[in-house]
Amino acid sequence: MKEDLHSYLKGGRDALLWKLDGLSEYDIRRPLTRTGTNLLGLVKHSTATEILYFGVVFGRPFEQELPYVGDGAEINADMWATADETREEVVALYRRAIAHADTTIEALPLDEVGRVPWWGDAAATLHHVLVHVTAETQRHAGHADIVRELIDGAAGLLPRYDNLPSAGESWWLDYRQRVEQAALDASKRSN
């Protein structure tokens, strides 16, 4: 069971990092939603998530304190990268956080209990935390899917397996138009 859960977490991590490939510094940082969602920020946030849940919760502190996490941190500071934070630094820190988390996952049994301070110091098993972080990582990978498609049209799960219908550009244009027309028709009927 642990291997299955861990593999889905790894898949989300891989998808999240892949969405940065081939993009400019501007494109990985630019906010494409009203709330500022951006690709590098999703990676930075996921770094904090891995460190907190697989480090702090189980008493396994990470090697480095993050200035954008904790009581004194600016609100949402983990959701975007400053101009001084390079892509390489953010990705390298994420990879180190992943390695730290993987060590915790591999070392502890699924029924190991930790304490989650930001849940009112609630007890949580590694199983619970692993499910929670996997769900959050996959959710952010989904955000990254949409943001990346808005940037340059790249879509799909992973470069080696995009999980999309193998259709040409004209099919996608027709398909999108059909979806748009259905939305317009439904809107007319509801008025």
Side-chain angles (χ1 to χ4, degrees), residues 37-176:
T37 303
N38 64 92
L39 294 172
L40 196 58
L42 290 169
V43 172
K44 186 175 173 182
H45 172 72
S46 295
T47 300
T49 299
E50 298 261 358
I51 290 169
L52 291 170
Y53 281 97
F54 295 113
V56 172
V57 168
F58 294 100
R60 299 170 70 93
F62 188 63
E63 67 198 49
Q64 172 183 349
E65 285 195 33
L66 304 180
Y68 52 86
V69 174
D71 294 336
E74 175 189 337
I75 295 172
N76 260 17
D78 65 323
M79 295 299 294
W80 64 286
T82 68
D84 294 333
E85 293 173 302
T86 70
R87 170 197 322 234
E88 294 76 19
E89 290 168 341
V90 172
V91 168
L93 184 58
Y94 186 43
R95 290 187 192 285
R96 289 195 343 261
I98 287 170
H100 182 75
D102 286 350
T103 300
T104 297
I105 293 165
E106 291 160 9
L108 303 177
L110 285 176
D111 61 355
E112 181 77 22
V113 176
R115 309 289 307 170
V116 187
W118 49 95
W119 292 357
D121 206 35
T125 63
L126 177 62
H127 180 263
H128 185 163
V129 169
L130 191 51
V131 169
H132 177 82
V133 175
T134 299
E136 183 165 334
T137 302
Q138 290 288 358
R139 179 173 181 249
H140 292 318
H143 294 138
D145 287 340
I146 293 167
V147 170
R148 178 65 189 252
E149 190 171 353
L150 289 170
I151 291 169
D152 68 355
L157 181 62
L158 294 168
R160 65 190 177 278
Y161 174 67
D162 67 15
N163 79 330
L164 296 170
S166 56
E169 187 61 30
S170 65
W171 184 89
W172 283 107
L173 290 172
D174 290 343
Y175 170 77
R176 189 188 182 289

